């Protein structure tokens, strides 16, 4: 760089000397030679040639240490060449070259100053880049970097001053001291300038992104800060909102966005109306969204009573099948059954004995002690035993009655062979009725509720056919329908309490999730649970924003957003400071009113825009704006070296 500048300055100086000599010779014939020469030089120095010459020599002169040597070398070289051409003395041409340089610099002071700064920076930056640690641009703390930069500034400033002053001790000491001071300040000033540039870049990015998204720049700044404080970037915001579905708002993302919405909801104005209305509308549709999700994944809710009534009706419809079976029946000999019952009655005591006595009496003809040979009597006895078992709790009685029923059933089958076909259909319907009730218990938390493993086993076993039944049983379907009916009941009785719905349907642990996955499938259960979780988040947002919770955090956010704070009027001021306090409060309020009247309405506009941004369900524009402003702004890489170069090169530039 130094050789290029020196050569350019030398060529320009030679051109200037040649042109000056030509004009001088032309002007010698003029009667007033001195005035003509002065006029020619003045016009030449103030023209374009003078500006170019000033720029070249100033840039070269501004380079620390070697700058003066380059300019001097260019002047001497141009003078020597001119002497060879025009025959004048070397000293005269050198003086003329120096005069031309001085006149050009005086005629173009701005060009001269800019050139010296350019030379100082251009000559110092390569040194800083080549040895950053020596100039305080490397690693380490601020004190260490400042010390290193000060030492390098001392050496550079002293050397430059010595070269420019011809070794004058005072000038050299002054240059060294100035270099020490400015060099030591270089790292700190560089940091400050870098932060300023980053702030300007940040503001510019924010304004461009806000304009593209149709958002107030202040509103976008608040949103970006809130999501950042919640630990989210633009990509995470997009992912979270997608997971929560189309009804999610930016206010749902975390505590900081909730508090901003809460501050707006507590501040009178259009922004308050926007936030409260949006949250109210969304909360009002919560049950519709939950029902739609449950219907989509679990099917429409049946009426458990209707299903049970249908099963009872189907059982009653089996009467013709039983009549056909008894039409082919033969008389029955109940003696073996009676003898076995009598034997047990003689040994048993208490309730089991009394239960078997009742069964034994049922085998007789009515009003006699003789056994009835009619198969219908044995069929009715079996039904009566079923009735006793349905209400019995004593395990010993249940065991005795079960054994008696088996004997009666065996005797009935022997007398009426085709009855088992009707029995199979009746038993299947009975199992379905029982499964319907069992399904309504799966979400319970008491002892009647099955464990997930138990429910999975019941569903698997329930699908297997029993007796003479052909094909899989409808027991799993009835259990699923029972569970769906119970979910519908829970939703209906907790219509306005999403938290209660989560607690009742999801439960405290993972059991309900596993149970519903067994009945409806894992994927569908997960989808319903996700909707319930989203609605819980929505409800939490509404509670945080619209109710008197987190007061301190909300007031802090209000202050940040420029909204109204806690009221403190004349009455409170009087209580705190008497009459003087009240007077001061009234005067301050009046002054505040006047000040607010003089201020532009940008605060209200920003709050309104922020409110729409936080509760709008059209999030794409906001996400794009967040992506456009995402990541911290970075100052240009050469910001710090340029600042240091300006400071370290200033001793040269000042001369």
């Amino acid at each position: 760089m130094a050789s290029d500048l020196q050569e350019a300055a030398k060529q320009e100086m030679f051109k200037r000397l040649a042109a000056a000599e030509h004009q001088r010779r032309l002007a010698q014939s003029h009667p007033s030679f001195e005035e003509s020469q002065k006029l020619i030089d003045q016009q030449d120095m103030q023209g374009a040639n003078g500006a170019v010459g000033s720029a070249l020599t100033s840039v070269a002169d501004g380079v620390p240490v070697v700058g003066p040597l380059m300019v001097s070398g260019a002047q001497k070289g141009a003078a020597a060449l001119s002497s060879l051409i025009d025959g004048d003395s070397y000293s005269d041409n050198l003086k003329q070259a120096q005069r031309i340089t001085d006149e050009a610099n005086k005629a173009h002071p701005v060009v001269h100053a800019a050139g010296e700064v350019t030379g100082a920076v251009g000559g110092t930056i390569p040194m800083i880049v080549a040895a950053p640690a020596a100039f305080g641009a490397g690693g380490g703390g601020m004190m260490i970097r400042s010390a290193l930069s000060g030492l390098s500034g001392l050496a550079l400033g002293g050397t430059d001053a010595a070269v420019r002053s011809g070794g004058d001790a005072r000038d050299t000491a002054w240059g060294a001291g100035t270099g020490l001071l400015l060099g030591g300040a270089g790292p700190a000033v560089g940091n400050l300038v870098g932060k300023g540039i980053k702030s300007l870049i940040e503001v510019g990015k924010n304004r461009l992104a806000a304009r593209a998204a149709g958002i107030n720049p202040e509103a976008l700044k608040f949103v970006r800060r809130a999501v950042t404080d919640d630990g989210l970037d633009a990509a995470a915001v997009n992912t979270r909102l997608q997971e929560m579905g189309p009804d999610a708002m930016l206010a749902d993302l975390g505590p900081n966005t909730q508090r901003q919405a809460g501050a707006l909801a507590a501040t009178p104005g259009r922004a308050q109306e926007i936030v409260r209305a949006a949250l109210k509308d969304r909360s009002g549709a919560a049950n519709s969204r939950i029902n739609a999700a449950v219907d989509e994944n679990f099917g429409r809710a049946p009426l458990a009573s209707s299903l049970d009534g249908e099963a009872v009706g189907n059982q009653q419809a089996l009467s013709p099948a039983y009549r056909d079976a008894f039409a082919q029946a033969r008389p029955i000999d109940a003696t073996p059954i009676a003898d076995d019952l009598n034997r047990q009655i003689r040994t048993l005591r208490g309730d089991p004995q009394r239960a078997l006595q009742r069964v034994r009496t049922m085998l007789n003809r009515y009003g006699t002690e003789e056994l009835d040979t009619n198969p219908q009597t044995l069929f009715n006895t079996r039904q009566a035993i079923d009735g006793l078992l349905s209400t019995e709790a004593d395990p010993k009685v249940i065991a005795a009655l079960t054994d008696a029923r088996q004997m009666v059933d065996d005797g009935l089958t022997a007398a009426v062979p085709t009855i088992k076909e009707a029995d199979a259909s009746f038993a299947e319907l009975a199992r379905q009725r029982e499964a319907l009730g069992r399904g309504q218990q799966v979400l319970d938390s008491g002892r009647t509720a099955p464990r997930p493993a138990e429910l999975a086993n019941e569903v698997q076993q329930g699908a297997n056919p029993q007796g003479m039944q052909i094909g899989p049983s409808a027991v799993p379907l009835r259990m699923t329908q029972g569970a769906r009916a119970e979910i519908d009941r829970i939703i209906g009785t907790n219509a306005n309490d999403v938290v209660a719905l989560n607690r009742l349907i999801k439960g405290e642990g993972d059991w309900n999730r596993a149970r519903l996955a067994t009945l409806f499938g894992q994927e569908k259960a997960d989808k319903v649970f996700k909707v319930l979780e989203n609605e819980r988040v929505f409800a939490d947002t509404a509670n945080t924003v619209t109710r008197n919770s987190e007061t301190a955090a909300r007031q802090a956010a209000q202050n940040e957003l420029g909204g109204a704070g806690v009221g403190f009027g004349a009455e409170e001021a009087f209580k705190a400071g008497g009459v003087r306090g009240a007077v001061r409060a009234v005067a301050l309020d009046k002054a505040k009113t006047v000040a607010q009247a003089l201020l532009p309405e940008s605060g209200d506009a920003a709050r309104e825009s922020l409110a729409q941004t936080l509760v709008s369900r059209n999030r794409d524009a906001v996400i794009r704006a967040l992506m456009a402003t995402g990541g911290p702004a970075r100052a240009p890489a050469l910001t710090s070296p340029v600042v240091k170069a300006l400071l370290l090169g200033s001793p040269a530039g000042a001369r």
Side-chain angles (χ1 to χ4, degrees):
M1 176 181 177
S3 60
D4 293 341
L5 286 173
Q6 186 175 7
E7 182 63 27
K10 182 177 179 180
Q11 292 296 329
E12 181 63 25
M13 188 64 65
F14 177 73
K15 292 179 182 178
R16 295 293 298 116
L17 286 172
E21 177 63 21
H22 176 68
Q23 291 173 348
R24 184 179 63 81
R25 290 179 178 178
L26 290 176
Q28 284 179 345
S29 61
H30 196 277
S32 185
F33 171 74
E34 293 182 358
E35 287 82 356
S36 298
Q37 182 64 43
K38 184 176 181 181
L39 179 62
I40 291 171
D41 290 346
Q42 183 178 4
Q43 292 177 346
D44 194 44
M45 291 304 103
Q46 292 178 352
N49 290 335
V52 173
S54 177
L56 288 173
T57 56
S58 297
V59 170
D61 187 53
V63 177
V65 181
V66 299
L69 300 177
M70 288 192 295
V71 173
S72 177
Q75 291 173 341
K76 291 177 180 179
L81 289 174
S82 295
S83 297
L84 293 175
I85 295 172
D86 56 25
D88 290 343
S89 67
Y90 170 77
S91 61
D92 290 341
N93 282 333
L94 179 59
K95 291 178 181 178
Q96 185 179 9
Q98 292 170 342
R99 181 180 60 81
I100 290 172
T101 300
D102 293 339
E103 292 295 332
N105 290 338
K106 291 178 182 179
H108 303 279
V110 176
V111 174
H112 172 58
E116 285 203 326
V117 171
T118 302
V121 173
T124 309
I125 284 181
M127 291 187 286
I128 297 175
V129 173
F135 289 88
M142 181 61 69
M143 293 184 63
I144 296 177
R145 291 164 54 202
S146 298
L148 292 173
S149 182
L151 291 175
S152 59
L154 182 147
L156 183 61
T159 304
D160 182 71
V163 171
R164 294 177 187 275
S165 65
D168 184 79
R170 184 174 180 180
D171 287 349
T172 301
W174 176 260
T178 304
L180 174 64
L181 178 63
L182 295 178
V189 175
N191 283 351
L192 291 175
V193 173
K195 289 179 180 179
I197 292 176
K198 286 193 290 184
S199 297
L200 292 175
I201 294 174
E202 191 79 24
V203 170
K205 287 172 59 180
N206 188 75
R207 287 190 174 278
L208 290 175
R211 183 180 302 173
I215 304 170
N216 183 283
E218 286 294 307
L220 179 59
K221 183 179 71 173
F222 283 125
V223 169
R224 186 159 57 87
R225 181 160 52 190
V227 298
T228 301
D229 291 344
D230 284 329
L232 304 172
D233 56 14
V237 168
N238 186 43
T239 300
R240 288 277 295 276
L241 292 176
Q242 292 294 332
E243 289 176 350
M244 287 190 287
D247 294 287
M249 305 171 177
L250 265 74
D252 300 315
L253 291 174
N256 289 282
T257 55
Q258 286 182 351
R259 288 167 186 166
Q260 281 190 356
L264 295 170
T267 304
R270 173 63 179 152
Q272 181 186 67
E273 179 184 352
I274 292 172
V275 171
R276 288 183 175 272
L279 292 177
K280 181 180 179 181
D281 291 344
R282 186 176 69 171
S283 297
N287 264 58
S288 298
R289 292 191 295 271
I290 293 173
N291 277 315
V294 173
D295 286 346
E296 180 182 354
N297 292 281
F298 293 169
R300 298 296 298 272
L303 288 175
S305 58
S306 297
L307 292 175
D308 187 70
E310 180 184 346
V312 172
N314 290 334
Q315 285 179 322
Q316 293 173 350
L318 291 174
S319 296
Y322 279 107
R323 283 198 300 270
D324 293 341
F326 280 104
Q328 303 175 13
R330 53 180 179 269
I332 187 173
D333 181 10
T335 301
I337 301 174
D339 290 343
D340 195 278
L341 289 175
N342 289 332
R343 180 184 58 77
Q344 294 186 59
I345 291 170
R346 284 194 295 270
T347 57
L348 291 174
R349 294 294 181 270
D351 290 338
Q353 183 186 53
R354 284 188 288 274
L356 292 186
Q357 285 175 339
R358 293 179 63 185
V359 173
R360 173 62 185 82
T361 302
M362 295 176 191
L363 298 178
N364 295 335
R365 288 194 181 95
Y366 181 72
T368 69
E369 295 296 327
E370 296 179 6
L371 292 173
D372 197 336
T373 59
N374 187 351
Q376 188 69 47
T377 299
L378 205 57
F379 177 75
N380 292 334
T381 299
R382 189 181 69 176
Q383 287 185 312
I385 295 173
D386 288 338
L388 295 174
L389 285 171
S390 65
T391 59
E392 186 56 59
D394 189 336
K396 293 183 179 180
V397 176
I398 292 174
L401 289 175
T402 301
D403 184 60
R405 186 191 187 284
Q406 185 62 52
M407 289 189 295
V408 171
D409 186 68
D410 290 342
L412 186 61
T413 303
V416 189
T418 58
I419 197 174
K420 281 302 178 183
E421 296 177 5
D423 280 347
S425 298
F426 192 92
E428 169 62 18
L429 293 173
R431 291 179 65 204
Q432 292 183 22
R433 291 183 64 192
E434 182 181 356
L436 185 66
R438 185 60 165 165
Q440 296 176 70
Q441 297 176 341
V442 296
L443 297 180
D444 290 349
S445 57
R447 297 180 62 182
T448 59
R451 290 175 170 80
E454 292 173 340
L455 180 63
N457 184 64
E458 289 181 22
V459 170
Q460 182 179 3
Q461 295 299 323
N464 296 328
Q466 293 188 1
M468 300 182 67
Q469 181 186 357
I470 300 175
S473 172
V475 165
L477 172 63
R478 298 305 183 193
M479 293 181 72
T480 299
Q481 290 174 329
R484 179 64 184 90
E486 179 63 10
I487 292 173
D488 188 62
R489 185 194 68 79
I490 293 173
I491 295 175
T493 55
N494 296 273
N496 298 316
D497 194 343
V498 175
V499 176
L501 284 178
N502 272 270
R503 183 176 64 253
L504 292 172
I505 296 179
K506 294 176 62 178
E508 296 297 334
D510 295 331
W511 278 20
N512 280 359
R513 181 186 291 271
R515 291 162 175 164
L516 293 178
T518 296
L519 295 176
F520 299 100
Q522 187 68 58
E523 182 179 358
K524 293 181 177 180
D526 288 344
K527 288 181 179 179
V528 170
F529 276 50
K530 183 60 180 176
V531 170
L532 289 172
E533 176 61 23
N534 290 341
E535 292 298 334
R536 186 198 63 75
V537 173
F538 298 164
D540 181 60
T541 298
N543 291 337
T544 301
V545 170
T546 60
R547 294 184 181 178
N548 294 325
S549 60
E550 301 191 20
T551 305
R554 182 178 301 162
Q555 289 173 355
Q558 280 183 254
N559 293 333
E560 179 189 24
L561 299 175
V566 179
F568 191 85
E571 181 179 354
E572 291 78 7
F574 179 82
K575 293 177 182 178
V579 175
R580 291 184 178 179
V583 172
R584 286 195 299 269
V586 172
L588 182 60
D589 287 342
K590 293 299 181 183
K592 191 183 206 179
T593 301
V594 173
Q596 289 177 346
L598 295 175
L599 289 174
E601 294 296 322
S602 59
D604 290 338
R607 285 191 287 273
E608 183 176 339
S609 179
L610 178 60
Q612 292 172 338
T613 302
L614 288 173
V615 299
S616 174
R617 302 181 198 182
N618 183 17
R619 299 96 42 125
D620 293 342
V622 182
I623 293 172
R624 287 195 297 270
L626 291 175
M627 289 182 174
T629 58
R634 296 180 180 274
L638 286 178
T639 297
S640 184
V642 167
V643 172
K644 293 183 178 68
L646 284 170
L647 292 173
L648 294 176
S650 60
R655 293 180 182 274

